[in-house]
Amino acid sequence: MSAVFEGAVMTAEGMLFNGVICQPVVEKCEGCERSKQFEGQAYCGSYAQPEAKWALGVCNFATHVKATVDKGGKVKVNPLKASKRAAKGR
């Protein structure tokens, strides 16, 4: 048993760890330093449902994925902050 998942128990739904059902990592998680083995399957040590973290793009916990720059080279600005700056005359 891995020291990361000490006290974890396998159930029909998945791995039960600290009262949370953890799902196995998905293919996109391969190579991430956060995935740990438990009873022959890899689980994320940071998030219980790794598939959900990849649903909207790149997982923010992924250690094996490099951040990319926007193709246009533009920086995204918070619209609320932009309106406040415009009001101040910056």
Side-chain angles (χ1 to χ4, degrees):
M1 185 187 316
S2 177
V4 174
F5 298 121
E6 191 170 329
V9 179
M10 286 302 293
T11 65
E13 294 88 25
M15 179 183 69
L16 179 64
F17 180 62
N18 287 342
V20 177
I21 299 292
C22 298
Q23 301 299 322
V25 297
V26 293
E27 186 177 320
K28 295 178 185 177
C29 294
E30 288 181 17
C32 184
E33 294 176 9
R34 297 180 193 268
S35 64
K36 306 294 180 199
Q37 293 290 324
F38 180 76
E39 292 189 9
Q41 280 200 310
Y43 293 91
C44 182
S46 299
Y47 198 72
Q49 298 174 337
E51 186 175 1
K53 292 301 271 184
W54 290 95
L56 297 175
V58 178
C59 173
N60 62 324
F61 293 127
T63 60
H64 63 294
V65 177
K66 302 277 187 211
T68 58
V69 177
D70 186 9
K71 291 179 183 175
K74 296 180 181 178
V75 178
K76 291 186 179 181
V77 178
N78 184 339
L80 181 60
K81 287 185 178 182
S83 68
K84 288 181 178 180
R85 286 184 186 139
K88 283 185 175 181
R90 288 191 198 173

